[in-house]
Structures are given as C-alpha cells and as structure tokens.
Amino acid sequence: MATLRDVAREAGVSVATASRAINGLGNVTAPTKAAVMAAVKKLNFVPHSGARSLTRRKTDTVGVILPDLFGEFFSEIIRGIDLVAHESGMHLLLGNMHGSTHETAAAIAAMRGRVDGLLVMPPDLKPELLADYLDPALPTVLLNYDAGSLDLPFVAVDNYRGAYAMTEALLARGMRQIVHIAGPKHNRDARDRQRGFVDAMAKIAKISNPAILPGDFSEESGAQAGRLLVQGQLPADAVFAANDQMAVGLMAELANAGKSVPGDVLVAGFDDIPLARHLNPSLTTMQVKIDRLGSTAMMMLLRILRGETLGGASATILTPTLVARGTTGGAAIPATVAAAGALPT
Amino acid sequence: MATLRDVAREAGVSVATASRAINGLGNVTAPTKAAVMAAVKKLNFVPHSGARSLTRRKTDTVGVILPDLFGEFFSEIIRGIDLVAHESGMHLLLGNMHGSTHETAAAIAAMRGRVDGLLVMPPDLKPELLADYLDPALPTVLLNYDAGSLDLPFVAVDNYRGAYAMTEALLARGMRQIVHIAGPKHNRDARDRQRGFVDAMAKIAKISNPAILPGDFSEESGAQAGRLLVQGQLPADAVFAANDQMAVGLMAELANAGKSVPGDVLVAGFDDIPLARHLNPSLTTMQVKIDRLGSTAMMMLLRILRGETLGGASATILTPTLVARGTTGGAAIPATVAAAGALPT
DNA sequence: TTCGCCTGTGTAACCGGTTACGTTGTTAAC
DNA sequence: GTTAACAACGTAACCGGTTACACAGGCGAA
C-alpha cells in the first residue's frame, strides 16, 4: 500500500507539500497540486486514517456500547445514531458488552484512542461502577439511563409517565381489574413502568396493591402470564404488559384458551414494535420512537464535540405516545390522556 | 490522559520495559513488573489503541459496509457478525453507504488503516466498480453477493433454489394459477427469486409465461398487487410474493376484499421475518437465517486473517428452508421439497 | 581466568500521517 | 538599491505506542 512518502517521491515534492495538496490546504501552486494528485492516482494512494487520527487527535468516530444487539430495539437505536452520525461524516465503532459487567469495562477501555466520544447504554450497571470505567476526558452521552448522581448528559424514555398514561386510559375505559405483567426485576425501564402503573391505579382509581405478574420481557414469559390468567386464578378485565413482546405471548395464549380480545379482556403493551399493528387484533401500546433515542443522543454528543455547552439540555426525556388499536376496542382515547402522551414535536 | 512514557517515568523504567510489562512479554523481573503495574494503576493508564494498531499493523477491527441499516434484515446480519467477532475479540466499524454508489467508495476508503478486513454488502453495484473501490491488499468477504468474475470470497443465499422449492410446493398442492409478486428490477435477490419461480413453473408444470406482478419489496407494493388481484383482472389460486413484507401488504388487501386465505387463495412469502408467524393466518415462507449470513462471512474473514487459505470454501451458499404455515393450509409439504430446502445444519 | 551465552533493561527507529518552523525566491514599498 | 513582506516549499519533530538492536552484568564451562 502506498504511503504519503511514496506519493511525495513520485511527485518530486516533500511530504509536507504532498499532505497540503491532498488536504486542500493553501500555499500550494496549481501545477504542484496537479503533480501530487497525479501521483495519488497513479499509486492509488488512500490516506491511512489510523495514522491521521493519531496526529489530528481526532478520529471522526464515536463508540457505541450496547448491552446486546438482539432485536429491533437496538437496531433502531443504531439506525437513529447512524442517521445523525452520517450527516456529520462520523463513523460508528460498535462495542457489545454482552450483558457482562466485566466486558463493559473492557469494551470501554478498548475504545481509547479510537473514538472521539462515547454513546453508552448500561441498563443494569450501578452509576458508581460506570463512573469508574468511564474516562472523564472522553465526551460521553448515556442512552436510556438516568445518570443521577453522575452529571453525565443522557437521553431516556419517560417510562413512568408512559405507563401512567396507559393505565389512565384503561381506567378511563371503565376497567378496574387491571393486571400488569412486569419486566425483569433489575431492569430500570421495567421498574419505572411498574411504578407508573401502580401509581396510576392508586391515584386515579384508589386501588392499592393491584395485581402484578412476573415477566422478563420475553414472549414466553407473556405466554406464561397468559396461562395463569386463563386458569382463572386471577380475575382481569384488562392486562397491561410492560412490553409488546410479552403482550404478543399473552395474546397467543388467550386465543388458545378461546378468550376474546377485546371482548373478554383488553390488552395493552409498551414500545410499539412493528409487529404490534399487524397482530389480530392490533395491539394498543405506548409508542416509543426508539430511533429518536439514538439520534438525539448522537446530536447531543456532536454538540459536545463541537465545544458547545449543553447547559440545561444535558438531559433529554422522550415521552412515549399512546396508540390506541384493536386490543382496547380501537376507539378514541380521552383527549387529556392523548395530550399527556404526546411527543413535544 | 496518561501515556506510556508517563507510566515509564513514574515507574522509573524505560518505555520499552513498561511496554513489555504491560503486555506480559517475557524478560521482565517480577519487581519491575509490579512497579510498572503500580504506575499504571496510579495514573490509570489505558493504552491508546490507535497508536498501538499503527505499529502492530493490526487493528482488531473489521469494517462492515452495508447499503442501509433499516429493518431487521441488517440488524440480524450485524448481530451474526458480532457474535463471531466478539468471540475473537474483534471490533466492528460500521459503514453505511446509504444507497449511493459514490458513498460506497467513500465508505471503503474511510476504512483504510482502521480495519484488518472488510465485510461488504453491495447489493446493486457492478462487479467492475466494486473491484475498483476495493483494496486488493485488504481481506474482504462479500455479503449476499456473488462476485462472479472477481474471485472474492462471498456468502450468499440461494434465492433461486428457494423460490424454486416454494413454487414446487405450491404446485404440489395442486395450484396452477400461481401469481408471483416480484421485487425491484435491479435487485439481484429479486431477480433470482423470480427466475426460480419461472423455471419451476416451466419445468414442473410446463407452464410458460406465468403471471408476474411488479413490486419493490415494500408492504405497499404488496397491497397494490393485492388490489389488482381482487379487481379480478387476474385469476389466481396462489400468490407467491418475493418477500414477506409484500405478502403482508397483500394479505391485508385480500382481507379487506373479503377473500379468505387459504380458502380462496394460498399465499407464500420469502425471508421468514418474525412477523410472518404472527400473522393471521400465519405466513408460509422460505426461512432465511439472516444472522447466519453475517456469522458465516465473519468466520470466513477470520480464517483469511489467520492466514488460512479458504480453498474451495471461498464461497458459501446458504439454502433457505421452507416453513409451511397457515396461508397454505399449514399441513405438511412433500418430503422431497422439504429435503431440498434443508440447511446443511 | 577467559570466553560465551543468557537475562533484564535501555536507546532509538519506526508505523504513516500532520504541522511548526525555517528557508528560499519573488515582489512591493521605501 | 535595500528591505520587508509574503508565498511556496522543505526539514524535522511529533502523535503514542512497539520492537530491533545494543549493552551491561551474571553465571557456567573450558
């Protein structure tokens, strides 16, 4: 592979001149520049970005560290990030912590010297640990994680308000025996959603200790919850699953048992995965614009990299929108609720 | 940020010794090593991967260049790649050509010096152009692309055989008026699938010039085809869509028109997107294990990087499997067809 | 004792670019 | 006719690591 010195020699100039010509800096006469360009073509020289970033102290790359790559949640995030990154000519270096805390540290360390900034999504990592791993000199934006004590910028989804709004909507339909299928115990999103549900039940309908079935965000765990319901151990006129995936499993099980949705029981989910509107009946759910999560975080990172101070905008909370579909009868949702769930845009 | 020289100074040794101690090479006494390690901890030194890869001439990174990041097809590929890459401690640098030929060149060039190898998926790029852009010195594996004249290793899906098998299965059910909804004209996958369909109709049922409706892989184009069918302009006892997405649009339109599937007409798709089995009725389709596409390519690349010669294995063709579901009546498919579509494991 | 070899460590070149600074030659200003 | 200013270009240091080679000291063998 040709190097800059090869090009310089071929063009009969010094490396400095060659570099300047190639990068379009001033102080190079047209004929000299032409000679250099000819040499570039002839040797088909392509600049070595690794070497370049070493001196420029700039890599034009951001590191993206996700807990996993499974499912469309992550792919949508990546797409959102890429959308913005691409516009700014940035590249994406993917790091996958594969669920392990130890690997998180390794993934972050491996980014040193290869990225200008970091986008990290550490769903179940304690803030103190995270602070330990992170390089304070490296601009970092957290994804779907409220840094709390750490004063790192982050963008998150308002799971609490989303769950609250959905519960409110179900209550507005006259439902009282609403069962929640929870997500993984240690998962922040899951906990916030559960809190939103519990609070809405208490505040709006004065129902304390509403029924909550365990789940882990998987389709199968939704199906399990469905079997519990069907066996009649739990009276329910509506089921609010902490994510769509579980709602899918639940509905399959209800159908098996001959239960009609929304005739016998209403069903609601959370996330609005593409599958949701294709189900039969289509699934009422809280729409989270996942790609927005990624693109917003990337925009924040870019601003930091440009030296702007984020100021008050150092945290962005995305509010999910309620999408009413077939599983709750499909009709309109009270205007107040719809407004509460509306995205600022 | 601390550099190696800082560490060396702190530990009272030379950079060479510090480097050796950190990298666990021999020829360092235990006390010296301990001193270096203490300095590393104290300054919390993290090696600068950029600088390191410059001398090692190894980046432990592979570049992945995809035409787009939209939808789960690509996310599944990335997941497959990551699975294998992660095991080997490799990182992924994402490049997105965003559909443009010009950007493809830029994306490939930008990879120079930052990756040890390339995984490229150039769905509608002419081989000659591709050869132009690619650096012959950089190990490259093509995704879903038969390099043909170029002797680059690649992994692809046997779209032809898949479509042939599906058509055969429909014919075996006694269908004769089978309509194919084609994909984009310039798309290789689409063309191969169409060829498979046409050939199967001709060879097995002696039907030449079977009905083919235009489409572009989008749900809407499937719906459009559905409207054409419903208006009775085309008699059909089965419809074979070139991908699942179009089958989804088609089925929605058929349902609108009160047509029963599979009562009035059978429907089949291609890809087996997760949505397929959740449709009502569930969609019969050719299952393509997309993540396998990525992981296989990555494994091939790793072997090249290790210096192994691929020999005859420089091309891998993944054969899709027929999954019979509700839209074709759900029952068994003739054994021969199932076998023809079976993956080698 | 002398030579050879091995071990632990240091010096400096190198990877492939960028860029501060110095040099040369030209032109404008006095 | 000097000098200053400036444009075009070259030299070499530098980014932060790795590593070939040199070197000093210790030890066993002859």
Side-chain angles (χ1 to χ4, degrees):
Chain A
M1 208 58 210
T3 75
L4 185 63
R5 322 224 177 226
D6 298 332
V7 173
R9 193 180 315 123
E10 174 75 25
V13 299
S14 73
V15 284
T17 303
S19 174
R20 283 188 283 253
I22 291 173
N23 292 303
L25 305 187
N27 292 350
V28 182
T29 42
T32 315
K33 178 162 183 176
V36 171
M37 287 326 209
V40 166
K41 271 278 168 285
K42 180 171 174 193
L43 305 175
N44 61 63
F45 166 79
V46 178
H48 189 291
S49 329
R52 174 177 282 183
S53 64
L54 191 54
T55 52
R56 285 204 179 156
R57 309 171 138 278
K58 207 162 145 295
T59 60
D60 295 320
T61 304
V62 303
V64 179
I65 300 184
L66 300 175
D68 204 336
L69 289 178
F70 190 80
E72 89 197 289
F73 182 76
F74 300 107
S75 82
E76 280 295 286
I77 286 188
I78 293 178
R79 196 172 64 83
I81 294 173
D82 174 75
L83 213 66
V84 177
H86 183 257
E87 282 176 8
S88 321
M90 288 277 189
H91 298 268
L92 261 41
L93 186 60
L94 236 53
N96 187 333
M97 55 180 80
H98 286 263
S100 129
T101 299
H102 172 257
E103 294 214 28
T104 305
I108 294 177
M111 293 285 175
R112 162 91 213 277
R114 347 184 79 180
V115 300
D116 296 334
L118 232 42
L119 255 29
V120 184
M121 174 160 163
D124 25 52
L125 203 59
K126 293 192 197 71
E128 316 85 60
L129 265 181
L130 188 62
D132 242 35
Y133 297 155
L134 251 31
D135 175 355
L138 195 65
T140 303
V141 174
L142 264 26
L143 278 164
N144 208 23
Y145 186 88
D146 185 340
S149 52
L150 283 60
D151 66 336
L152 286 170
F154 66 88
V155 28
V157 171
D158 197 338
N159 288 297
Y160 177 84
R161 259 176 84 183
Y164 194 101
M166 178 59 86
T167 309
E168 183 175 11
L170 292 173
L171 288 168
R173 284 227 182 297
M175 304 298 128
R176 283 299 173 274
Q177 297 188 315
I178 308 179
V179 176
H180 182 62
I181 308 182
K185 296 235 180 310
H186 60 283
N187 183 293
R188 272 168 183 263
D189 296 335
R191 285 201 313 243
D192 289 348
R193 289 174 190 183
Q194 178 169 334
R195 265 197 317 118
F197 165 72
V198 170
D199 283 8
M201 291 296 277
K203 287 198 189 147
I204 302 172
K206 314 294 176 206
I207 299 176
S208 54
N209 294 320
I212 296 178
L213 294 173
D216 61 5
F217 277 168
S218 74
E219 200 175 317
E220 173 52 26
S221 73
Q224 245 163 26
R227 285 191 283 275
L228 274 181
L229 283 176
V230 166
Q231 287 160 13
Q233 309 202 0
L234 211 53
D237 48 22
V239 183
F240 173 23
N243 77 345
D244 286 353
Q245 213 71 39
M246 294 195 295
V248 168
L250 166 74
M251 284 173 65
E253 205 58 42
L254 292 176
N256 271 351
K259 290 271 186 187
S260 147
V261 174
D264 299 330
V265 57
L266 304 192
V267 172
F270 206 114
D271 284 346
D272 195 25
I273 61 177
L275 179 52
R277 67 191 181 90
H278 289 295
L279 288 174
N280 195 349
S282 56
L283 180 63
T284 290
T285 186
M286 292 304 300
Q287 181 178 71
V288 177
K289 294 196 173 146
I290 306 173
D291 56 337
R292 284 284 209 87
L293 208 66
S295 53
T296 306
M298 185 66 207
M299 287 172 64
M300 289 170 67
L301 185 56
L302 280 177
R303 288 174 52 192
I304 299 176
L305 289 176
R306 277 199 292 262
E308 301 175 29
T309 62
L310 292 178
S314 83
T316 306
I317 310 282
L318 300 177
T319 310
T321 318
L322 201 156
V323 180
R325 298 208 184 94
T327 54
T328 52
I333 287 287
T336 57
V337 176
L343 272 169
T345 298
Chain B
M1 209 56 210
T3 75
L4 185 63
R5 324 228 175 221
D6 297 333
V7 173
R9 193 179 317 122
E10 174 75 26
V13 298
S14 72
V15 284
T17 303
S19 173
R20 283 188 283 253
I22 291 172
N23 292 302
L25 305 186
N27 291 352
V28 183
T29 42
T32 313
K33 178 161 182 176
V36 172
M37 285 327 209
V40 166
K41 271 278 168 285
K42 181 173 174 192
L43 306 176
N44 61 60
F45 166 79
V46 178
H48 188 292
S49 329
R52 173 177 282 182
S53 64
L54 191 55
T55 52
R56 285 205 180 154
R57 310 171 138 279
K58 208 163 144 292
T59 60
D60 294 322
T61 303
V62 303
V64 180
I65 299 183
L66 299 176
D68 204 337
L69 289 178
F70 191 80
E72 88 198 290
F73 182 76
F74 300 108
S75 82
E76 280 294 286
I77 286 188
I78 293 178
R79 196 171 64 84
I81 295 173
D82 173 75
L83 213 67
V84 177
H86 183 257
E87 283 176 8
S88 321
M90 286 280 191
H91 298 267
L92 260 41
L93 186 60
L94 236 52
N96 188 334
M97 55 179 82
H98 286 262
S100 130
T101 299
H102 170 258
E103 295 213 27
T104 306
I108 294 177
M111 294 284 176
R112 163 92 213 277
R114 348 184 81 185
V115 301
D116 296 334
L118 232 43
L119 255 28
V120 184
M121 175 160 164
D124 25 51
L125 203 59
K126 293 194 196 70
E128 316 85 61
L129 266 181
L130 188 62
D132 242 35
Y133 297 155
L134 251 32
D135 174 356
L138 195 64
T140 302
V141 174
L142 265 27
L143 277 165
N144 209 25
Y145 188 87
D146 185 339
S149 50
L150 284 60
D151 65 338
L152 286 170
F154 66 89
V155 29
V157 171
D158 198 337
N159 288 297
Y160 177 84
R161 259 177 83 184
Y164 194 101
M166 179 58 86
T167 310
E168 183 175 11
L170 293 172
L171 288 169
R173 285 228 183 295
M175 304 298 126
R176 281 302 174 271
Q177 297 188 314
I178 307 180
V179 176
H180 181 62
I181 308 180
K185 297 235 180 312
H186 60 281
N187 183 293
R188 272 168 184 264
D189 295 336
R191 287 200 313 244
D192 289 348
R193 289 173 191 183
Q194 179 168 333
R195 268 199 314 119
F197 166 71
V198 171
D199 282 8
M201 291 296 278
K203 287 198 189 146
I204 302 173
K206 313 295 175 205
I207 299 175
S208 53
N209 294 322
I212 296 180
L213 294 173
D216 61 6
F217 277 168
S218 74
E219 200 175 317
E220 173 51 27
S221 73
Q224 242 161 29
R227 285 190 283 275
L228 275 180
L229 283 176
V230 166
Q231 289 159 13
Q233 309 202 2
L234 212 52
D237 48 22
V239 183
F240 172 23
N243 77 346
D244 286 353
Q245 212 71 38
M246 293 196 295
V248 168
L250 168 73
M251 284 173 63
E253 206 56 42
L254 291 177
N256 272 350
K259 290 271 187 186
S260 146
V261 174
D264 299 330
V265 56
L266 303 193
V267 171
F270 207 115
D271 284 346
D272 195 25
I273 60 178
L275 179 52
R277 65 191 181 89
H278 289 295
L279 289 173
N280 195 351
S282 56
L283 181 63
T284 291
T285 186
M286 293 303 301
Q287 180 177 70
V288 177
K289 295 198 171 144
I290 305 172
D291 56 336
R292 283 287 208 88
L293 208 66
S295 53
T296 306
M298 186 66 206
M299 287 172 63
M300 288 170 67
L301 185 56
L302 280 176
R303 288 175 51 193
I304 299 176
L305 290 176
R306 279 197 291 261
E308 300 176 29
T309 62
L310 292 177
S314 83
T316 306
I317 311 282
L318 300 176
T319 309
T321 318
L322 202 155
V323 181
R325 297 209 183 93
T327 55
T328 53
I333 288 288
T336 56
V337 176
L343 273 168
T345 296

